[in-house]
Amino acid sequence: MTETTQTHPTPQGGTRARSPEYRLAADALRGLRQELFTDAFAYDPLPRMRVDGPVTRRLPGRLRDYAAWTPHALVAFTGMLAAIIAAAANEADDNGGLSSLTMLLALFPVLLVLLRPTGAFWFSLAATPFAAVLGNSWDDWPWPAGSFAAHLVVLTVAAIRTGPRTAAWMWITTGVYGIGSEVTLGGGHYSSNTGPMLVVSALILLVVAVWHTRRTAEKEVTAQQTVTEHERSRRTLLEERTTIARELHDVVAHHMSVVAIQAEAAPYRVENPPPELERAFATIRENAVAALTELRRVLGVVRAEDYEAPDAPQPTLADLDLLLANVRDTGLSVDKTVTGAVRELPQGVELSAYRIVQEALSNSLRHAPGAGARVEIGYVLGGLGLRIVNGPPPEPSLVKPSPGAGHGITGMRERVSMLNGEMTAGPSEDGGYEVTVFLPVTAVTTVSEGDA
């Protein structure tokens, strides 16, 4: 038989672990201190009412502006009622000389709740014994008639503006004050109205708590509906993109694969093909394979719900010589001119410039076969300048209508607009076509990259 002894570790500092009841009480007192004392007199003005409701939106413009102040006017009106009640009670007790002061003690906390809700509660609670002494009425203790009405208004408005938990602390504090006043100073008084104050205020705070709960639930439902609608839109967009990707793959990828296979097999069908023919078919196959690679990358973007940038580097102006060599193999004579200090530019500018030159040369091949082209690249202090110009086709009768949809120039303009650049495109004086682009680069980026 083995006997084991369990030892409980002693908390650091030699203090014993607190019980759950103790922690609950400590949290409650901490909440009381934070909500009723720390930020008691923080400036928190009552916002104006929204005027986009079914009734207020039909009001004329100036009247609609006045309607936005309806909550403020309603609170001020209830404060005036509390002040009138206080004055009437003093006159009934033959103490009309102090009516003005008791009216202010009833009116001021109601007006203060428009700016500082918690501070108005404390002021109303502190003004109550002064109003009782000034009124010299012992029939209503410890709440004179005016203070009774004013405190109910303050509790209601403060509960609406602060929340159920703070309102509960205010109600408990009100009960502690009322019961304490009865025990310590209420022995010779005829009646006590602490009970009616607690019952009426509890009913009002219960209604306010239900209103707060419903409003919070409506906000949560609205937020959930927004998230659901967003997810539904994302799912619809993903389905549409998947459909587009499938159609692109079925139409374009099939034909490009056929082109690549036929270009690879064509030299073997001719006995002793010339080197120029073999080089031409090799170029066709390389272009078809490159197009398939780009197509697969684009389809991956279209299909993916959360697209991540590929690991493969995107083409830049440093790869422009390979592009020009590829174009020259198709029979287009292309010259390149670079001016300015060559430097590395931001990736977006480099990629856009490469794609613009690529699209402009593709247009030259389609619309001006046999014509020469010239690519001019200018590195300036404010950015990058591009000029792609081609001459007129030697045989205009050989130019066939392009089967494309004519989105090349539009795509170039979109890239330039994305970078806040400028672009002009149109026929040149000699009958050719000219594309001029300027892509700005911020001075900070240029200097930092140049230093790097």
Side-chain angles (χ1 to χ4, degrees):
M1 188 172 187
T2 304
E3 181 179 359
T4 59
T5 304
Q6 296 182 354
T7 59
H8 298 280
T10 303
Q12 296 181 358
T15 59
R16 299 179 58 184
R18 304 296 185 182
S19 62
E21 294 79 6
Y22 177 85
R23 290 196 299 268
L24 183 62
D27 293 339
L29 292 177
R30 192 180 302 112
L32 173 64
R33 182 174 64 252
Q34 178 67 29
E35 295 172 3
L36 292 187
F37 295 99
T38 304
D39 300 328
F41 289 91
Y43 182 70
D44 185 18
L46 178 66
R48 292 192 297 175
M49 184 182 70
R50 297 178 58 181
V51 292
D52 55 353
V55 177
T56 53
R57 71 161 62 103
R58 300 179 180 179
L59 298 176
R62 193 169 185 82
L63 190 58
R64 190 185 305 117
D65 295 337
Y66 291 149
W69 297 98
T70 301
H72 304 75
L74 183 60
V75 173
F77 176 74
T78 56
M80 292 297 299
L81 288 180
I84 293 173
I85 293 174
N90 284 334
E91 291 178 358
D93 295 333
D94 297 330
N95 196 17
L98 300 176
S99 297
S100 299
L101 187 56
T102 54
M103 288 176 64
L104 289 178
L105 290 177
L107 177 62
F108 185 76
V110 178
L111 298 180
L112 184 63
V113 80
L114 296 174
L115 303 177
R116 292 175 168 84
T118 307
F121 164 77
W122 286 116
F123 188 90
S124 175
L125 205 63
T128 298
F130 291 97
V133 172
L134 293 175
N136 197 22
S137 174
W138 306 108
D139 293 335
D140 296 325
W141 177 263
W143 308 94
S147 299
F148 191 96
H151 198 69
L152 284 179
V153 174
V154 170
L155 274 178
T156 303
V157 179
I160 293 175
R161 301 198 56 203
T162 57
R165 189 172 67 174
T166 305
W169 284 122
M170 292 180 181
W171 184 82
I172 293 174
T173 306
T174 300
V176 170
Y177 166 77
I179 296 174
S181 299
E182 292 180 3
V183 172
T184 57
L185 301 175
H189 300 151
Y190 296 102
S191 62
S192 172
N193 55 5
T194 299
M197 166 64 75
L198 294 180
V199 172
V200 175
S201 60
L203 293 176
I204 295 175
L205 296 183
L206 179 61
V207 174
V208 174
V210 172
W211 177 79
H212 269 290
T213 303
R214 180 179 178 181
R215 188 178 181 184
T216 303
E218 289 178 351
K219 289 183 178 180
E220 292 178 355
V221 170
T222 302
Q224 187 64 34
Q225 290 176 349
T226 303
V227 173
T228 303
E229 184 66 24
H230 178 67
E231 292 296 330
R232 186 183 298 111
S233 300
R234 289 184 59 189
R235 184 169 60 251
T236 303
L237 178 61
L238 183 59
E239 292 174 356
E240 293 177 355
R241 290 166 61 180
T242 304
T243 302
I244 295 172
R246 183 168 57 250
E247 293 178 356
L248 283 175
H249 181 272
D250 293 342
V251 176
V252 181
H254 170 72
H255 292 291
M256 294 305 297
S257 300
V258 172
V259 170
I261 294 173
Q262 290 182 349
E264 184 176 7
Y268 299 100
R269 297 181 180 180
V270 181
E271 185 177 356
N272 298 324
E276 295 81 2
L277 182 61
E278 292 183 352
R279 187 165 57 254
F281 280 120
T283 302
I284 294 173
R285 182 183 180 280
E286 291 175 359
N287 284 314
V289 173
L292 282 173
T293 303
E294 287 290 322
L295 178 62
R296 292 190 183 98
R297 184 182 65 82
V298 173
L299 292 181
V301 175
V302 175
R303 289 176 183 270
E305 181 177 3
D306 296 323
Y307 171 69
E308 296 182 358
D311 297 333
Q314 297 295 312
T316 62
L317 291 177
D319 303 318
L320 198 57
D321 290 336
L322 296 177
L323 174 64
L324 298 183
N326 192 6
V327 172
R328 292 188 185 103
D329 290 339
T330 63
L332 180 65
S333 176
V334 184
D335 297 328
K336 185 184 77 168
T337 304
V338 180
T339 58
V342 179
R343 63 185 184 278
E344 184 179 356
L345 299 176
Q347 182 180 3
V349 176
E350 294 265 354
L351 176 60
S352 296
Y354 180 91
R355 295 301 188 193
I356 289 171
V357 173
Q358 184 183 40
E359 181 60 31
L361 294 178
S362 298
N363 290 339
S364 299
L365 287 173
R366 288 195 297 268
H367 302 291
R374 186 171 66 257
V375 177
E376 299 177 1
I377 304 174
Y379 290 87
V380 296
L381 183 61
L384 178 71
L386 297 175
R387 183 171 179 264
I388 305 97
V389 57
N390 62 266
E395 296 291 339
S397 59
L398 299 179
V399 178
K400 299 180 180 180
S402 176
H407 297 306
I409 298 296
T410 303
M412 286 191 284
R413 291 190 186 279
E414 290 176 350
R415 289 183 180 274
V416 173
S417 176
M418 180 181 61
L419 298 174
N420 297 323
E422 299 177 359
M423 172 181 167
T424 58
S428 58
E429 296 180 356
D430 58 355
Y433 201 83
E434 179 179 347
V435 176
T436 305
V437 175
F438 177 74
L439 302 177
V441 179
T442 59
V444 176
T445 304
T446 303
V447 171
S448 62
E449 292 182 354
D451 294 341

